[in-house]
Amino acid sequence: LILGTGKYRSTSDMVNAIKASDTEMITVALRRLDLGNPNKSTLLDEIDPQKYHILPNTAGCKTAKEALGIARLARSMGLPNWIKLEIIPYTKYLLPDPIGTLEAAKLLIEDDFVVLPYINADPVLALKLEDIGCATIMPLGSAIGSGQGIHTSEQIKIIIEQASIPVIVDAGLGVPSDASQAMEMGASAVLVNTAIAQAQDPSLMAEAF
């Protein structure tokens, strides 16, 4: 289980949910942090890097160039060399750009990053990303933040069948049984954010996941 850090109603909700989830990896969108004021704390100050693997992500980036810049910023901050790659050009539907994602992945791998790309459940793109050296593939179950569950199960099954790297189901999971479904299909992990962050009791939902 990988946890996201957006959309929590309070920092304490986030911290308590992280503890309850038993996760070892937490993803953080650097573009959503106020890094301009060194005296102002951010959610990175709430996460113990000795206890959790912090996975920087490129949420908010619309182009490969922007994603490379965020990845290099993360590295300059001393964060791990792993990058969750998101290229989303249009904010209305938050669907990943397949061409931009492939382009960005190539640039990041050339710059010695470990790349975890978020994609539509596209088996052809998944193979191309594996071929260029991505560490995993992260197909969406349904639209980000929708909580609709896994609508792409047939495509995800093909991705898992073809892959020789881990497959992580990312986006759209709404309840713990969605995570069970992903694991039953053969996924190596799931990434969950909104379903936990927006739950009536985030800690309880995190524990259930």
Side-chain angles (χ1 to χ4, degrees):
L1 175 62
I2 303 171
L3 240 58
T5 50
K7 301 185 179 180
Y8 282 93
R9 288 181 286 270
S10 69
T11 301
S12 62
D13 273 357
M14 180 193 73
V15 171
N16 292 333
I18 288 171
K19 290 178 181 176
S21 73
D22 230 10
T23 188
E24 295 178 2
M25 182 177 286
I26 300 165
T27 185
V28 177
L30 295 191
R31 290 197 73 156
R32 294 175 183 153
L33 302 182
D34 181 4
L35 301 174
N37 184 353
N39 298 316
K40 185 176 180 180
S41 64
T42 69
L43 64 83
L44 284 174
D45 297 301
E46 305 294 335
I47 302 169
D48 182 355
Q50 301 302 315
K51 187 173 181 180
Y52 301 104
H53 187 107
I54 297 173
L55 174 63
N57 72 57
T58 65
C61 292
K62 297 182 178 181
T63 66
K65 184 177 179 180
E66 289 179 357
L68 182 60
I70 289 295
R72 288 174 172 170
L73 172 63
R75 180 155 56 192
S76 72
M77 294 169 63
L79 293 172
N81 216 36
W82 292 24
I83 293 292
K84 179 176 184 265
L85 175 60
E86 298 182 24
I87 303 290
I88 300 176
Y90 307 113
T91 56
K92 183 175 181 180
Y93 296 111
L94 298 177
L95 295 172
D97 175 357
I99 297 170
T101 298
L102 185 60
E103 178 187 354
K106 289 176 181 177
L107 292 174
L108 288 163
I109 290 166
E110 288 171 3
D111 208 17
D112 296 324
F113 286 98
V114 177
V115 180
L116 295 80
Y118 165 65
I119 64 169
N120 284 299
D122 181 341
V124 176
L125 176 59
L127 274 181
K128 289 181 181 295
L129 288 165
E130 178 176 343
D131 287 343
I132 66 170
C134 287
T136 185
I137 301 297
M138 304 181 74
L140 57 78
S142 54
I144 289 179
S146 69
Q148 294 177 349
I150 300 176
H151 289 183
T152 55
S153 58
E154 294 307 312
Q155 297 97 308
I156 290 174
K157 287 176 184 176
I158 296 170
I159 291 171
I160 291 170
E161 179 186 334
Q162 295 182 140
S164 57
I165 55 176
V167 175
I168 300 171
V169 176
D170 178 11
L173 278 67
V175 290
S177 56
D178 294 334
S180 295
Q181 181 187 355
M183 303 303 285
E184 288 164 3
M185 288 192 294
S188 295
V190 296
L191 191 151
V192 183
N193 188 175
T194 304
I196 293 174
Q198 293 291 296
Q200 184 175 351
D201 185 337
S203 293
L204 185 61
M205 185 66 90
E207 184 179 3
F209 268 101

